[in-house]
Amino acid sequence: MGNEHGVFRVSVQGNIVMARLSGCFNESGAEAVTDQIRSAIESFEGQPFCMLMNVLECPGGTPEAYENIENYNGWLNGQKMTAKAMVMSSKMTEGILKDRAPSRQNQKIKIFDNETDAITWLEKHI
C-alpha cells in the first residue's frame, strides 16, 4: 500500500479479536486494519468470537476510510460475532461511527472508557 495513514495493532486473546487504533486513518490505512481483522476472524473457522476495538487515540478518518469501515461491518454482520466492545472517550467519534457505519446497528455493541471493563463484559458474551 505505502500511503497508509493511521497506526494499528491486531491481536487475538482467547476468543477475542483485539484492535488498537491511533491516529487519523485514510482509505489505505482502514483497508489494512480491516484486512488484518478479517484474517484474525477467519482463523476462528466459524466459531463464535467477540471483538474489542480501542479507538481512544483515533480521532477519525477520511470519508473513504469510513466507507471501508461500513463495508467491513456489513461483512462482519455475517460472521459469528457475539459482542463488540468499543473503547472510546469521544461522543463525537461515537456519533460519526453511527452515521457513517449504519450496519453496526445490527451488532451487540457497548461503549467503554477502558479496556479492563470492556474485556470483563466481553468474557460474559463468548
Side-chain angles (χ1 to χ4, degrees):
M1 302 232 167
N3 66 344
E4 298 168 2
H5 291 192
V7 177
F8 63 90
R9 189 172 132 232
V10 177
S11 61
V12 175
Q13 179 179 317
N15 285 19
I16 301 173
V17 177
M18 304 175 80
R20 291 180 182 94
L21 285 64
S22 61
C24 291
F25 279 75
N26 66 359
E27 180 179 18
S28 296
E31 185 175 328
V33 71
T34 56
D35 284 351
Q36 274 200 19
I37 294 171
R38 285 179 208 251
S39 293
I41 291 168
E42 288 169 352
S43 75
F44 290 114
E45 298 179 342
Q47 296 301 309
F49 66 93
C50 293
M51 179 167 291
L52 173 78
M53 296 292 299
N54 184 329
V55 295
L56 282 172
E57 297 177 6
C58 180
T62 64
E64 296 81 11
Y66 283 107
E67 184 176 323
N68 180 284
I69 292 167
E70 170 61 8
N71 291 336
Y72 154 76
N73 275 284
W75 172 84
L76 189 58
N77 288 341
Q79 307 307 305
K80 291 193 177 179
M81 183 177 70
T82 57
K84 181 193 286 185
M86 300 285 301
V87 181
M88 64 176 65
S89 60
S90 171
K91 291 290 184 188
M92 184 169 61
T93 301
E94 184 180 352
I96 292 169
L97 278 170
K98 283 182 181 178
D99 182 58
R100 298 280 183 150
S103 61
R104 295 171 69 251
Q105 71 183 351
N106 298 320
Q107 301 169 5
K108 181 178 191 135
I109 299 176
K110 187 168 181 180
I111 308 298
F112 295 89
D113 62 5
N114 67 83
E115 281 193 10
T116 302
D117 291 343
I119 291 169
T120 299
W121 180 76
L122 288 173
E123 288 173 342
K124 296 175 184 174
H125 291 87
I126 293 177

